[in-house]
């Protein structure tokens, strides 16, 4: 039973239960935001439980290249705030690695600097759409050049910004955040209107650090020139990482698993509602609030899993959880389907195609739509060789599938889990039987 390590390929054997208590790494989305905001705040910020994710290290490295003093000791990151006007031109190109969040959100800050910057990324990030973030920043007066097709690298000329009111054409927390961050550098009030609510960690962190920010329905307004104050911050465990353990726990019939200190911001908990609606029992315990973010423990108890349809309006709140939910669907009575998720095609991989391809390799019946998937229920999964396409969430979703399958599953290029959850396989191994 369990997992045997090799350099790149992980072998997953079927399991009957997950038992014990696990802790997730610090939330990736929140860690990016705390790092960026404390870099342009006044005074020092101490960030506890900072994400171990390689993506968040990319953010720290970019900020260091911009002259910010950062120290990292285990999961405590100390950042000496340079102030709104304190960043310095980087001698080298800024490298966002695999991280869309780094590239898109940092664009908001770079747009407002009086100097030139170039930001690049790895092969996957170099294929991801950037026009969505450059469009509003250009309306604010930023001068930014993209490569052909609206792709990275991005080149910022620097200059003065003016406030705008921007209606997001696609629900995207990254684009919303970029505009709000740029709004700090514009004179007057910048407004962003969301079609549906997306994760609001930027708004909460801005409030916590003393920015002048208003929220009315779907509109968020930020006033330029605010002084942000450095402070002590705590990052809750990442609910998107916890999703793999929730699903694995629910699929293995004898599980008894507790996941501690998971972030429960209501813009991120759609996964709990969907699982509950489909018969997955996840109890929330010991809820508290830290720096404006809710967190608590999750107790996973397997039961009868019904499956069903995920409504398109729930999709933006579940976007990172859809690969593992698709795996979940194969083990439910009715199966699972969703539409309205075309965004999944432009994540770290084309997650609709890659999930469908790998589920079929495991013997499941899957229907692919331009904007979604339908997986049949009551499927017997067979162990298979999984191509991750270098996508961390695919690697973890199919490790979970492997636990519930017959025979051995091989996860190729499994090192990509480092992007969000370097300790994933070790954590899983500790609670597997
Ligand atoms: C994120 C927002 C989502 C999500 C990504 C992290 C964030 O992307 O998929 O993993 O931290 O704001 P979009 O904003 O592109 O939807």
């Amino acid at each position: 039973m369990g997992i045997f390590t090799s350099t790149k390929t992980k072998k997953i054997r079927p399991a009957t239960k997950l038992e014990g208590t696990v802790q997730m790494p610090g939330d990736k989305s929140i860690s990016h935001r705390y790092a960026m905001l404390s870099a342009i705040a006044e005074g020092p910020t101490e960030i506890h439980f900072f994400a171990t994710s390689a993506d968040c290290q990319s953010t720290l490295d970019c900020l260091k290249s911009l002259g910010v003093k950062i120290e990292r000791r285990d999961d405590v990151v100390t950042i000496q705030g340079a102030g709104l006007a304190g960043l310095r031109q980087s001698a080298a190109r800024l490298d966002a690695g695999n991280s869309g969040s780094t590239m898109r959100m940092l664009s908001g800050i770079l747009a407002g600097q009086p100097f030139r910057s170039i930001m690049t990324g790895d092969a996957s990030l170099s294929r991801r759409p950037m026009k969505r973030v450059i469009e509003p920043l250009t309306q604010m007066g930023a001068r930014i050049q993209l490569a052909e097709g609206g792709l990275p690298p991005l080149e910022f000329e620097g200059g003065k910004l003016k406030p705008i009111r921007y209606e997001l054409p696609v629900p995207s927390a990254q684009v919303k955040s970029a505009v709000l961050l740029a709004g700090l550098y514009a004179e007057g009030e910048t407004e962003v209107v969301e079609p549906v609510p997306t994760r609001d960690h930027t708004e909460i962190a801005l409030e916590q650090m003393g920015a002048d920010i208003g929220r009315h329905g779907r509109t968020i307004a930020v006033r330029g020139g605010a002084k942000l104050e450095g402070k002590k911050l705590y990052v809750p465990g990442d609910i998107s990482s916890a999703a793999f353990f929730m699903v694995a726990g629910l699929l293995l019939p004898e599980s008894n698993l507790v996941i501690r200190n998971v972030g429960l911001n209501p813009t991120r908990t759609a996964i709990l509602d969907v699982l509950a609606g489909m018969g997955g029992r996840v109890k929330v315990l010991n809820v508290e609030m830290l720096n404006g973010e809710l967190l608590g423990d999750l107790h996973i108890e397997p039961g009868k899993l019904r499956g069903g349809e995920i409504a398109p309006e729930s999709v933006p709140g579940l976007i990172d959880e859809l690969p593992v939910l698709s795996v979940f669907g194969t083990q439910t009575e009715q199966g699972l389907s969703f539409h309205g998720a075309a965004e999944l095609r432009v994540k770290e991989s084309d997650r609709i195609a890659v999930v469908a391809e790998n589920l079929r390799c495991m013997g499941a019946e899957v229907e692919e739509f331009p904007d979604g998937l339908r997986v049949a229920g009551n499927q017997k999964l067979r162990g298979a060789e999984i191509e991750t396409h270098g996508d961390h969430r695919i690697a973890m979703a199919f490790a979970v599938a492997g636990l519930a399958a017959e025979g051995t599953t091989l996860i190729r290029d499994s090192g990509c889990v480092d992007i969000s959850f370097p300790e994933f396989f070790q954590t899983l191994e500790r609670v597997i039987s």
Side-chain angles (χ1 to χ4, degrees), residues 140-303:
M140 295 178 85
R143 288 175 301 154
I144 310 168
Q145 289 207 343
L146 290 151
E148 214 178 300
L151 301 173
L154 309 183
E155 204 170 322
F156 300 79
E157 271 311 322
K160 273 206 163 352
L161 299 183
K162 56 177 189 285
I164 56 167
R165 176 181 165 86
Y166 190 67
E167 301 208 10
L168 289 173
V170 273
S172 164
Q174 293 173 351
V175 178
K176 168 178 67 174
S177 302
V179 178
L180 293 174
L181 291 169
L184 294 171
Y185 289 91
E187 228 171 80
E189 202 170 66
T190 295
E191 288 186 324
V192 185
V193 187
E194 299 192 272
V196 289
T198 64
R199 60 193 76 187
D200 64 355
H201 307 303
T202 304
E203 297 88 303
I204 294 177
L206 279 167
E207 253 160 27
Q208 291 286 315
M209 297 179 88
D212 189 357
I213 176 151
R215 303 170 73 176
H216 322 281
R218 298 276 151 84
T219 304
I220 306 117
V222 70
R223 188 161 286 284
K227 260 200 183 159
L228 306 177
E229 288 156 32
K231 61 187 287 188
K232 206 173 200 173
L233 295 165
Y234 295 86
V235 183
D238 198 319
I239 189 165
S240 298
S241 298
F244 301 103
F245 282 82
M246 287 183 224
V247 170
L250 290 171
L251 295 189
L252 303 178
E254 295 161 38
S255 291
N256 185 5
L257 182 73
V258 174
I259 315 177
R260 299 212 49 211
N261 299 325
V262 178
L264 296 173
N265 176 313
T267 61
R268 298 283 299 280
T269 50
I271 175 78
L272 300 180
D273 303 333
V274 165
L275 289 175
M278 295 186 178
R281 290 186 298 171
V282 178
K283 249 194 243 147
V284 178
L285 308 161
N286 307 323
V287 177
E288 58 174 325
M289 172 96 94
L290 276 175
N291 324 125
E293 294 282 357
L294 286 173
L295 66 160
D297 300 337
L298 301 178
H299 185 196
I300 319 299
E301 292 168 10

Side-chain angles (χ1 to χ4, degrees), residues 24 30-31 33 42 45 71 74 123 152 168 173 191 280 355 386 414:
M24 297 298 106
I30 296 177
S31 298
R33 287 155 170 88
E42 310 272 333
T45 290
E71 255 180 54
D74 302 323
L168 289 173
E191 288 186 324
V355 166
I386 301 300
S414 62

Side-chain angles (χ1 to χ4, degrees), residues 28-29 33 101 104-105 132 171-175 177 199 319-320 343 347 393:
K28 180 159 91 71
S29 291
R33 287 155 170 88
S101 302
R104 296 203 179 112
M105 294 198 286
R132 55 181 61 192
S172 164
Q174 293 173 351
V175 178
S177 302
R199 60 193 76 187
I319 197 78
D320 294 337
E343 274 296 299
K347 292 290 177 190
R393 299 207 196 274

